[in-house]
Amino acid sequence: MGRSRVILYSRPRCHLCDEAREALAGMRIGFEEVDIEDDETLHAAFLDRIPVIEIAGRVVSELGVDEAAIRAAITWES
C-alpha cells in the first residue's frame, strides 16, 4: 500500500521549480522529479507551464503550487 505517484516536472535554474520542490518536501509528499530539458516532447509541452505537478497521471498544479489541489489529489493505493 502506498501513495499515488507524484511527479514534479522542472528544469534547472527555475526559481518556481525550487519553490515547488520545497513546498512538496514541506508537505511531506514524496515525489519523482523529471527535468524537462532531457526530453524534447516534455520540454515543448511544459516549458511555459513549469513547475508542473502530476499526481496519478493527472496534472493538478502548474506555474506554482496549489497545495489544496495537491492534497485533494493524493490518494492511497491499495
Side-chain angles (χ1 to χ4, degrees):
M1 185 155 102
R3 286 190 170 191
S4 299
R5 184 173 181 209
V6 178
I7 301 174
L8 168 62
Y9 294 97
S10 65
R11 69 187 293 214
R13 296 170 303 284
C14 166
H15 74 280
L16 292 175
C17 299
D18 295 339
E19 291 172 10
R21 191 177 306 108
E22 290 172 14
L24 288 170
M27 295 168 66
R28 296 186 177 168
I29 294 174
F31 62 95
E32 173 186 344
E33 188 164 358
V34 175
D35 182 349
I36 66 166
E37 297 290 324
D38 294 334
D39 183 302
E40 289 181 28
T41 303
L42 292 176
H43 189 269
F46 293 137
L47 180 61
D48 295 334
R49 299 166 51 198
I50 60 168
V52 174
I53 299 171
E54 178 184 282
I55 300 175
R58 185 172 58 92
V59 172
V60 298
S61 185
E62 57 186 71
L63 292 172
V65 176
D66 183 340
E67 287 192 27
I70 292 167
R71 289 187 191 282
I74 295 287
T75 58
W76 288 95
E77 300 172 347
S78 50

